[in-house]
Amino acid sequence: MKHKISALFLGTALAFAAGGVALAQDKTVKIGVLTDNSGLYSDLGGAGSTLAAQMAVEDSGLAAKGWKIDIISADHQNKPDIATTIARQWIDVEKVDIFMDVLNSGVALAVNNLVKEKNSIMINTGAATSDLTNAQCSPNTIHWVYDTYMLANSTGQALVKAGGDTWYFLTADYAFGHALERDTTAVVVKAGGKVIGGVKHPLNSSDFSSFLLQAQASKAKIIGMANAGGDTTNTIKQASEFGIVAGGQKLAGLLLFITDVHSLGLKVAQGLNFTETFYWDLNDGTRAFSKRFSERMKNKAMPSMVQAGVYSGLIHYFKTIDAMGGNPHDGAKVVAKMKETPTDDALFGKGTIRADGRKIHPAYLFEVKKPAESKGPWDYYKLIGTTPGEQAFRPLSESACPLVKK
Amino acid sequence: MQALYAQLLVGLINGSFYALLSLGLAVIFGMLNIINFAHGALYMMGAFCAYFLLHLTGMGYWWALIIAPIAVGVFGMILERTMLQWLTGLDHLYGLLLTFGIALIVQGVFQNYFGSSGLPYAIPDYPQIGDCSPSAPQDAFCRRGLQGGINLGFMFLPVYRGWVVIFSLVVCLATWFLIEKTRLGAYLRAATENPTLVRAFGINVPRMITLTYGLGVGLAALAGVLSAPINQVRPLMGADLIIVVFAVVVIGGMGSIMGSIITGFALGVIEGLTKYFYPEASNTVVFVLMVLVLLVKPTGLTGRAA
């Protein structure tokens, strides 16, 4: 009897162990690219993010090692409620392991909560709000490309140093705009500048003339645009019409993507300063990837930093689960492992992922070239300065993230 | 106080877009009884048409002002002939659904090819008046087309915006005159009241209806060309605007020509003032007004009871 029981125990233990091995060797991954496929941000994420994910899968070489990797994509229409509905279905029904892109700060914060609750993974490359790695940080989320703190820190500081000590904000009236304005204000004040006013405009406004007139009347030296996508391009276009820059005020694009510059044209965009963490023409690695990317894009566009981030984030994820020997489908466990491993890829160079989920890499301050300086299509940026990764992002000592031990 | 004047003027400028767009809608609804949800998409096509003319054929803004409304108008007439005419006599809803579907398809096709962030279109810099050569002395008079602006004391008015207001006013009044005061307009109005009778006089009613739809669509395209240098030429530029324009038509009284012109300008001003006093509400103020007006006068401000 005793033998029987111990045999039973042994058998059960073995079965569990075998199950454990089978689990560890599960070589299936499902990637969900949750993005804006049809709205105002679809050029900087959208189909390009899905393409970047496909390229990461192809370049990872995991298929040859017997991995089965699927990608699905959906349009969250920039609505947090739609995004969480899709995300819930992806986790429960589709068994998605990892969420990529998830641009739009409102959407990102909503999906962030769900991903934590369901122990899934989000590598956010599209949303800007620095809250993702601050008060709302999560053991399941990595914020990959950029955030409002870094944008404010890099562009804000550079402009105040160059004499732009009075600011007026044009702010998109939702989570992202508020975060960007808040973070930039902190930087401006710290650097000795002053914010003398601002206006919060609804997302996706087509006419900015009223707001620009108020900014003009404020006599602030810098008009900070805490908005993105179509809102920013229309602001810049209409500011040039109202002679704002000619009148001596300077426009600060706090968040501008290469797709925005492309759509504005150099004639209107020339001279703008702003920060990005990726540009296709930075080095041989970025050029090689971008060339392959652009050949496969429908309109031959170069990758935005959001799309480049999808590639870079997935490459690191694949390396990690490959090293783990299989996909444990345990989000927090994989993310913890990703944080332990230094990152290194052709697009963002060497970097790390901090305890709060912040991916660390350098930030670049660019200026848009004059039409005469541009040698061809997509040759738009001049590199003005580089901030090393450790200085670009919010220091851990200032972090309100509960994951950071103090 | 100066800032307030500036906001009033800017409101008037935006109002001229609303007026032009809602005028086309009012014409189409008044004469064809179709709630034309494709209007925003056709407005967008007008802007894209201007872009194509410039980048493919080198024809600039002034040509676009003439060619784009005609080209898009012809597209509209084809739509009317092939699809909309089958809805004659049916409930408004069918027209609304069909045109909404058309709008989604057109926008989707454009978005698929041109992305969402749009294409650049500059304010025209010709004709050049005075000496604009690079070797001209500093103080030489030079006026480059509609570029630049005038300092009015209380605001810097871009010349182009001033041009838009004047041009829209002229087009609006001309359309009103055509429909309300000419013989052709009288036939048209009679044809909508009693098509059988008008046909008995030997007038080709279906052709008239097709031409009217073309006219309404042409007005939308014209507004698109006017807006191209101000807003980015984007596939969704019409979708963003169409709901506001519908509110304008409803407030003005469905189908009332003068009502939609006046309401268009008035709402532009009210929206401008909201942007000044409480910017967060600027996207909703139009709808609040719509609710208020409909509660007090369900036919709209100048609408006649059916």
Side-chain angles (χ1 to χ4, degrees):
Chain A
M1 189 63 193
K2 229 178 193 177
H3 283 288
K4 265 190 183 168
I5 290 174
S6 43
L8 194 67
F9 269 125
L10 191 68
T12 320
L14 275 176
F16 266 103
V21 171
L23 213 65
Q25 283 179 338
D26 182 356
K27 293 194 166 179
T28 57
V29 176
K30 197 153 194 181
I31 300 160
V33 181
L34 187 57
T35 181
D36 173 3
N37 274 330
S38 60
L40 76 170
Y41 301 139
S42 59
D43 278 0
L44 57 99
S49 287
T50 312
L51 172 61
Q54 272 161 2
M55 290 174 70
V57 172
E58 292 159 18
D59 293 358
S60 70
L62 288 190
K65 293 183 183 173
W67 285 78
K68 186 179 171 299
I69 304 172
D70 289 321
I71 301 175
I72 53 174
S73 164
D75 185 1
H76 60 48
Q77 299 171 36
N78 290 304
K79 296 191 175 92
D81 52 335
I82 293 182
T84 41
T85 310
I86 297 172
R88 204 173 279 280
Q89 197 202 343
W90 274 6
I91 296 172
D92 293 343
V93 183
E94 302 277 346
K95 307 290 176 207
V96 161
D97 292 297
I98 177 164
F99 286 77
M100 298 303 297
D101 188 326
V102 203
L103 53 73
N104 182 318
S105 293
V107 167
L109 290 171
V111 174
N112 187 45
N113 287 333
L114 185 76
V115 162
K116 187 179 173 188
E117 179 195 318
K118 301 267 187 183
N119 194 21
S120 183
I121 302 175
M122 169 163 76
I123 298 187
N124 195 303
T125 67
T129 178
S130 63
D131 291 352
L132 276 178
T133 54
N134 198 31
Q136 305 218 35
C137 74
S138 140
N140 299 74
T141 295
I142 300 175
H143 202 183
W144 202 269
V145 178
Y146 68 103
D147 65 32
T148 49
Y149 183 95
M150 179 277 277
L151 296 170
N153 199 20
S154 172
T155 315
Q157 215 158 42
L159 288 170
V160 178
K161 265 190 201 150
D165 53 2
T166 50
W167 284 62
Y168 187 94
F169 281 104
L170 292 184
T171 304
D173 196 8
Y174 75 108
F176 149 69
H178 296 185
L180 190 50
E181 182 184 334
R182 180 196 64 208
D183 289 349
T184 314
T185 303
V187 169
V188 168
V189 172
K190 202 174 159 195
K194 208 174 133 194
V195 175
I196 53 176
V199 56
K200 291 195 170 45
H201 66 77
L203 176 66
N204 218 356
S205 298
S206 58
D207 182 74
F208 287 87
S209 43
S210 289
F211 307 130
L212 285 166
L213 283 177
Q214 293 173 50
Q216 201 169 28
S218 77
K219 305 251 188 321
K221 285 183 192 159
I222 306 277
I223 299 174
M225 296 179 289
N227 49 25
D231 283 343
T232 310
T233 49
N234 273 335
T235 310
I236 295 170
K237 197 166 180 183
Q238 288 164 16
S240 103
E241 200 193 335
F242 277 87
I244 289 205
V245 178
Q249 287 171 301
K250 202 171 165 65
L251 279 181
L254 293 168
L255 177 54
L256 216 67
F257 297 91
I258 191 158
T259 43
D260 298 329
V261 175
H262 180 71
S263 93
L264 277 169
L266 290 185
K267 205 172 163 191
V268 178
Q270 59 180 312
L272 277 168
N273 289 350
F274 55 89
T275 303
E276 290 214 60
T277 53
F278 171 86
Y279 174 50
W280 71 269
D281 202 9
L282 272 178
N283 55 48
D284 289 342
T286 56
R287 275 186 287 271
F289 167 79
S290 305
K291 199 165 162 278
R292 284 195 296 137
F293 178 92
S294 140
E295 276 162 7
R296 288 170 68 172
M297 272 300 269
K298 197 173 41 212
N299 49 5
K300 303 288 166 223
M302 286 295 178
S304 71
M305 63 171 165
V306 172
Q307 293 154 349
V310 170
Y311 177 87
S312 157
L314 275 178
I315 289 288
H316 186 62
Y317 170 74
F318 290 145
K319 267 186 207 165
T320 309
I321 51 170
D322 192 26
M324 291 170 92
N327 184 2
H329 301 285
D330 177 344
K333 195 173 165 189
V334 177
V335 168
K337 195 80 190 161
M338 288 173 81
K339 286 177 182 170
E340 284 169 20
T341 324
T343 63
D344 188 9
D345 60 73
L347 308 193
F348 290 81
K350 288 189 194 313
T352 50
I353 303 165
R354 286 194 322 206
D356 58 352
R358 180 66 253 168
K359 159 79 161 57
I360 302 295
H361 44 230
Y364 308 103
L365 189 66
F366 292 110
E367 183 175 307
V368 179
K369 289 182 175 177
K370 294 190 176 65
E373 295 169 322
S374 167
K375 291 192 198 76
W378 298 93
D379 178 19
Y380 294 153
Y381 294 179
K382 269 188 293 195
L383 182 63
I384 299 190
T386 305
T387 316
E390 309 77 57
Q391 290 165 32
F393 294 92
R394 185 198 314 273
L396 278 178
S397 58
E398 286 177 26
S399 177
C401 169
L403 296 171
V404 178
K405 288 192 192 88
K406 288 196 180 154
Chain B
M1 203 59 209
Q2 286 192 344
L4 201 61
Y5 288 138
Q7 295 298 342
L8 283 172
L9 192 58
V10 164
L12 208 59
I13 295 166
N14 289 332
S16 57
F17 281 109
Y18 293 158
L20 255 189
L21 279 171
S22 56
L23 175 66
L25 275 181
V27 168
I28 292 171
F29 181 78
M31 308 296 141
L32 279 73
N33 263 330
I34 286 173
I35 300 175
N36 189 29
F37 242 87
H39 218 65
L42 297 160
Y43 159 80
M44 175 269 288
M45 284 176 77
F48 267 94
C49 204
Y51 175 84
F52 294 141
L53 283 172
L54 183 65
H55 290 264
L56 299 181
T57 68
M59 280 194 272
Y61 178 80
W62 303 103
W63 282 109
L65 271 185
I66 303 165
I67 297 174
I70 295 175
V72 182
V74 168
F75 174 76
M77 288 194 264
I78 296 172
L79 278 186
E80 202 278 335
R81 268 288 127 125
T82 52
M83 295 185 219
L84 289 170
Q85 66 154 328
W86 306 107
L87 303 180
T88 319
L90 292 179
D91 193 88
H92 296 321
L93 262 182
Y94 293 95
L96 187 151
L97 289 174
L98 178 63
T99 50
F100 186 56
I102 293 171
L104 289 181
I105 293 169
V106 170
Q107 275 160 203
V109 168
F110 273 80
Q111 195 161 28
N112 195 31
Y113 283 99
F114 303 104
S116 61
S117 43
L119 303 162
Y121 192 87
I123 293 173
D125 57 0
Y126 61 94
Q128 295 182 351
I129 302 160
D131 189 0
C132 290
S133 59
S135 57
Q138 279 281 306
D139 55 347
F141 175 77
C142 164
R143 166 92 262 146
R144 286 177 195 275
L146 299 175
Q147 289 193 332
I150 308 160
N151 195 345
L152 299 178
F154 63 91
M155 77 176 283
F156 179 89
L157 175 71
V159 172
Y160 185 76
R161 302 246 171 178
W163 153 255
V164 167
V165 176
I166 295 168
F167 186 74
S168 319
L169 258 181
V170 169
V171 173
C172 286
L173 292 178
T175 313
W176 170 79
F177 187 82
L178 178 76
I179 289 173
E180 299 287 341
K181 300 288 170 200
T182 63
R183 185 178 287 257
L184 182 71
Y187 285 150
L188 205 58
R189 280 176 289 132
T192 56
E193 292 286 325
N194 193 338
T196 328
L197 189 68
V198 174
R199 200 172 291 154
F201 285 118
I203 291 166
N204 188 336
V205 174
R207 184 188 294 161
M208 251 174 115
I209 296 221
T210 308
L211 285 173
T212 313
Y213 190 73
L215 171 76
V217 168
L219 285 171
L222 187 65
V225 179
L226 284 177
S227 119
I230 299 181
N231 299 305
Q232 284 289 90
V233 178
R234 292 184 302 129
L236 295 180
M237 62 192 285
D240 299 340
L241 209 62
I242 189 74
I243 303 291
V244 178
V245 175
F246 262 104
V248 170
V249 179
V250 172
I251 296 173
M254 293 291 290
S256 160
I257 308 286
M258 202 37 127
S260 63
I261 299 175
I262 295 170
T263 325
F265 278 98
L267 278 188
V269 171
I270 291 170
E271 201 186 49
L273 291 179
T274 319
K275 279 178 177 167
Y276 181 66
F277 288 110
Y278 190 64
E280 288 87 341
S282 56
N283 272 14
T284 39
V285 65
V286 172
F287 305 105
V288 174
L289 273 174
M290 184 172 83
V291 170
L292 291 178
V293 168
L294 288 184
L295 280 177
V296 178
K297 198 160 182 288
T299 51
L301 289 177
T302 54
R304 282 158 290 200

